[in-house]
């Protein structure tokens, strides 16, 4: 018979700059490369965000928007 099990390629991981919400009850975060503001506010709860890092799958943002 045919095997339906697909092999999943592991994506390369990289330490990535992110913004994370300062509200302890909120799980909001975003990659720094995909934020439009120099210091963004959380889109989920409107709290301030702080800079941090996470190990995430590597992505390339091809539309480099100018941060204000």
């Amino acid at each position: 018979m045919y095997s339906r099990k697909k092999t999943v390629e592991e994506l390369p991981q990289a330490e990535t700059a992110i913004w994370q919400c300062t509200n302890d009850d909120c799980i909001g975060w975003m990659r720094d490369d995909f934020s439009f503001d120099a210091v963004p506010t959380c889109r989920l709860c409107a709290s301030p965000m702080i800079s941090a890092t996470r190990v995430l799958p590597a992505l390339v943002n091809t539309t480099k928007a100018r941060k204000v």
Side-chain angles (χ1 to χ4, degrees):
M1 284 271 179
Y2 296 105
S3 174
R4 292 182 183 241
K5 200 177 228 184
K6 293 183 180 179
T7 58
V8 178
E9 285 186 42
E10 193 168 316
L11 297 174
Q13 303 279 314
E15 192 158 327
T16 307
I18 65 162
W19 290 100
Q20 67 184 22
C21 185
T22 56
N23 183 350
D24 291 335
D25 296 328
C26 183
I27 60 168
W29 66 276
M30 69 178 84
R31 292 174 185 256
D32 181 52
D33 286 351
F34 291 90
S35 67
F36 294 113
D37 301 325
V39 179
T41 56
C42 181
R43 302 289 184 202
L44 301 175
C45 69
S47 295
M49 299 187 92
I50 57 171
S51 181
T53 59
R54 285 190 183 180
V55 177
L56 300 169
L59 293 179
V60 177
N61 185 0
T62 58
T63 58
K64 298 282 183 178
R66 196 175 95 217
K67 293 183 183 184
V68 178

